[in-house]
Amino acid sequence: DRRAPYMAQRVLYPDPAMPDLAWLFMITTSGCVLQGDRLALEISLAPRARAHVTTQSATKVHSMDANYAVQTQSIALADGAYLELLPEPLIPHRRARLLSDTRISIAPTATLLYAEIVQPGRKHHHPDECFGATLLSLAVGAERPDGRALFTEKLVIDPARRPVRQTGVMDSF
C-alpha cells in the first residue's frame, strides 16, 4: 500500500546470487521534505521473507521557518526474515527541523541490516549551510516481538545549544 508522497517502485530481483531477495525502491514524489510533512513508513516481513529497501536518492530536508517535519518508521521482522534497510543519505538544509522515530520489532532468528547516514548539509551552497540545520532528532529503538527491549538510541543535533563544529565532535569535517 502506498500514499503520496511515498511511491513504491515495482519489486526487482537483480542479484543472481540471492534470487529471492526482493529489491524495493521508495520514491518521495515531492522531491524533498518540507515543513509540516508527516511521513510514515511501515515494513513488515513474513517468516523467511527477504528484502532490500532503499530510496531513489538522498532525502533532502528543506529550510523551515514556522514548523517542522516528522518521519516515523515501523519495522517488523518475523522468524527467519531478512531485511536490508539502507536509504540514501539525509541532507538537512540550513534551518531544517526534522524529528525521526524508528521502531523495530525483530524475531530472534531474523536479520536486519539498517543504516542512517546524515550529511552536514550542502557544504558548498552557502557559508551557513554546513551544519546549519536548526534541529535534527533521530531516535531508533528495537525490541523482540514479546516487547523485550534490545536497544534504544537517540541522536539530537542542535547546533544553537551544542555546536557541532568543535574539536572532538566534527571540527573541520
Side-chain angles (χ1 to χ4, degrees), residues 45-74:
L45 267 60
R48 294 174 302 287
R50 296 164 50 106
H52 173 94
V53 178
T54 189
T55 54
Q56 89 282 11
S57 66
T59 300
K60 293 167 273 313
V61 183
H62 274 247
S63 294
M64 301 174 188
D65 60 3
N67 204 328
Y68 58 95
V70 175
Q71 168 185 275
T72 58
Q73 300 180 117
S74 175

Side-chain angles (χ1 to χ4, degrees), residues 103-161:
R103 296 290 151 221
I104 302 163
S105 174
I106 184 167
T109 59
T111 301
L112 172 64
L113 301 175
Y114 175 83
E116 284 184 309
I117 300 170
V118 179
Q119 292 186 341
R122 299 176 296 170
K123 183 176 180 179
H124 302 291
H125 181 73
H126 185 278
D128 296 330
E129 190 75 26
C130 192
F131 299 110
T134 300
L135 178 69
L136 296 177
S137 175
L138 312 172
V140 180
E143 62 184 28
R144 293 291 184 214
D146 65 6
R148 187 169 36 102
L150 295 173
F151 72 87
T152 300
E153 174 182 83
K154 185 165 186 173
L155 170 66
V156 176
I157 299 174
D158 183 354
R161 289 185 49 208

Side-chain angles (χ1 to χ4, degrees), residues 81-95:
Y82 174 86
L83 175 63
E84 298 172 355
L85 180 55
L86 304 170
E88 293 296 320
L90 176 73
I91 304 174
H93 292 197
R94 184 171 30 131
R95 295 187 308 270

